Amino acid sequence: MQESADFDYEALWQTAFQGALSKHGVDHSETNNQDPAYQEALREAFGFFLLTCYAASIRESRATPWCRLEGLDAARLVAMETLKLHPHNARSMVEQDLIWALQSELYRFTLPEAAQNACRQALNAAGLATCLGEAPSA
């Protein structure tokens, strides 16, 4: 994916991370990197982050003036084409459905370096470097 100068990966990661921590009832100020709830929140945040970055990469190559593919619409378009869904069904897919439906595409997708840098520290600290395709840190 071509790194877009105006795409704020750090802000996107922080939004995904804080939202997942809140959803799992984890207080960020009292973080235990090995706490199962914290690790699950990190995995969830990373899934959303990866999906959003993937959608941005599709948008860069396939958006048009008449169909801008904003937000996760680009990922929904790929899901529609891949799974032969009716547009209405694809548009109604929530983030978790898209992550499941696009698992193969997301697995093959490589985050831009700036996106990896945005989430690397949190993932490494929790022993989840494998999310970035890296060997776990010792």
Side-chain angles (χ1 to χ4, degrees):
M1 172 178 155
Q2 176 183 349
E3 292 190 33
S4 199
D6 59 345
F7 201 90
D8 190 349
Y9 295 108
E10 186 63 40
L12 174 60
W13 171 249
Q14 288 304 318
T15 298
F17 187 39
Q18 294 304 321
L21 287 174
S22 176
K23 177 181 174 187
H24 289 272
V26 177
D27 182 4
H28 187 59
S29 64
E30 300 173 14
T31 300
N32 174 354
N33 290 335
Q34 302 310 311
D35 175 29
Y38 179 80
Q39 290 198 345
E40 184 58 30
L42 264 177
R43 285 186 192 94
E44 185 175 308
F46 183 75
F48 177 76
F49 182 70
L50 181 65
L51 177 65
T52 305
C53 292
Y54 174 74
S57 75
I58 298 301
R59 181 173 39 257
E60 286 180 8
S61 64
R62 299 187 59 189
T64 63
W66 58 91
C67 186
R68 299 180 66 197
L69 301 175
E70 295 178 346
L72 295 176
D73 285 347
R76 290 183 178 100
L77 176 66
V78 173
M80 183 182 76
E81 293 172 348
T82 304
L83 302 172
K84 313 268 188 270
L85 298 174
H86 186 278
H88 175 74
N89 294 340
R91 283 190 202 111
S92 68
M93 293 179 82
V94 296
E95 292 88 358
Q96 193 60 46
D97 292 341
L98 285 167
I99 290 169
W100 278 88
L102 298 174
Q103 176 64 24
S104 295
E105 289 79 2
L106 294 174
Y107 180 76
R108 290 188 303 266
F109 177 66
T110 301
L111 283 170
E113 190 63 32
Q116 290 181 35
N117 291 340
C119 61
R120 180 175 280 120
Q121 182 178 359
L123 293 172
N124 284 346
L128 298 173
T130 55
C131 288
L132 293 173
E134 301 172 353
S137 55

